[in-house]
Amino acid sequence: MITGDVKSKVDQIWNSFWSGGISNPLEVIEQITYLLFVRRLDELETQAESRASFTGKTLENPTFGPGEQDFRWSRLRNLEPEVMYDVVSDGVFPFLRKLGGDGSTYGEHMRDARFTVPSAHLLSKVVDLLSDIPMDKRDTNGDLYEYLLSQISSSGTNGQFRTPRHIIDLMVKMSAPRPDDEICDPAFMRKLDVSRDIGVAA
């Protein structure tokens, strides 16, 4: 379980996403996971490079090719915010989607990877905060992910999983539905039968 300084940093990351315009907790977790994965890829590559250098061998099958070095976390984190944003959006995420090749389990899971951080400022802040989280202990990844998932259960307080009653009341008053009306609810992608569902909707 993460505590103290690490927990504080994760809370700062969460609040940064929230104030930066991403309030869906699943989307926050998704973006954090992608960024941490990029960090881990770089750490593993650095370790492999060190072993190859120590043994005097050439690194075989590097993760990052010659034109992909700026995608590495150690370089990425030092870029100017606007440059970082362009590199992540136009370089890192296309790189992640093709990593592992077609037909691989990894490729199957990553083919729809989306970058949804809305601004360079937010990305830069999140990258800085993630860089300060120590990930050298084996259990940190699991503890971090478990803590992020725990935030979903408290997300009802910011309206993610239910519409507050006063908003429902306002919507009903503004639409003034009658029993013979049909209402399209885009969130559910179905039509409401007012005579049947108005009790639920109201």
Side-chain angles (χ1 to χ4, degrees), residues 5 88 115 190:
D5 188 47
V88 172
F115 176 60
R190 67 180 179 91

PDB file of all heavy atoms in Angstrom, residues 5 88 115 190:
ATOM      1  N   ASP A   5       4.645  10.303   1.067  1.00  0.00           N
ATOM      2  CA  ASP A   5       5.049  11.160  -0.036  1.00  0.00           C
ATOM      3  C   ASP A   5       4.557  10.635  -1.378  1.00  0.00           C
ATOM      4  O   ASP A   5       4.126  11.399  -2.236  1.00  0.00           O
ATOM      5  CB  ASP A   5       6.582  11.278  -0.049  1.00  0.00           C
ATOM      6  CG  ASP A   5       7.055  12.318  -1.044  1.00  0.00           C
ATOM      7  OD1 ASP A   5       6.497  13.432  -1.048  1.00  0.00           O
ATOM      8  OD2 ASP A   5       7.967  12.010  -1.837  1.00  0.00           O
ATOM      9  N   VAL A  88       4.938  13.183 -27.797  1.00  0.00           N
ATOM     10  CA  VAL A  88       4.080  12.143 -27.232  1.00  0.00           C
ATOM     11  C   VAL A  88       2.898  11.856 -28.155  1.00  0.00           C
ATOM     12  O   VAL A  88       2.573  10.710 -28.454  1.00  0.00           O
ATOM     13  CB  VAL A  88       3.585  12.539 -25.821  1.00  0.00           C
ATOM     14  CG1 VAL A  88       2.532  11.555 -25.318  1.00  0.00           C
ATOM     15  CG2 VAL A  88       4.760  12.589 -24.851  1.00  0.00           C
ATOM     16  N   PHE A 115      -4.127   8.991 -26.907  1.00  0.00           N
ATOM     17  CA  PHE A 115      -3.534  10.047 -26.087  1.00  0.00           C
ATOM     18  C   PHE A 115      -4.582  11.143 -25.933  1.00  0.00           C
ATOM     19  O   PHE A 115      -4.975  11.767 -26.915  1.00  0.00           O
ATOM     20  CB  PHE A 115      -2.272  10.589 -26.771  1.00  0.00           C
ATOM     21  CG  PHE A 115      -1.631  11.741 -26.049  1.00  0.00           C
ATOM     22  CD1 PHE A 115      -1.174  11.590 -24.750  1.00  0.00           C
ATOM     23  CD2 PHE A 115      -1.490  12.967 -26.671  1.00  0.00           C
ATOM     24  CE1 PHE A 115      -0.577  12.653 -24.076  1.00  0.00           C
ATOM     25  CE2 PHE A 115      -0.895  14.029 -26.016  1.00  0.00           C
ATOM     26  CZ  PHE A 115      -0.432  13.867 -24.725  1.00  0.00           C
ATOM     27  N   ARG A 190     -30.279   5.005 -26.493  1.00  0.00           N
ATOM     28  CA  ARG A 190     -31.580   4.380 -26.657  1.00  0.00           C
ATOM     29  C   ARG A 190     -32.649   5.412 -26.377  1.00  0.00           C
ATOM     30  O   ARG A 190     -32.394   6.433 -25.754  1.00  0.00           O
ATOM     31  CB  ARG A 190     -31.759   3.192 -25.724  1.00  0.00           C
ATOM     32  CG  ARG A 190     -31.830   3.561 -24.236  1.00  0.00           C
ATOM     33  CD  ARG A 190     -32.017   2.307 -23.399  1.00  0.00           C
ATOM     34  NE  ARG A 190     -32.059   2.622 -21.976  1.00  0.00           N
ATOM     35  CZ  ARG A 190     -33.168   2.892 -21.317  1.00  0.00           C
ATOM     36  NH1 ARG A 190     -34.324   2.961 -21.947  1.00  0.00           N
ATOM     37  NH2 ARG A 190     -33.134   3.141 -20.022  1.00  0.00           N
TER      38      ARG A 190
END
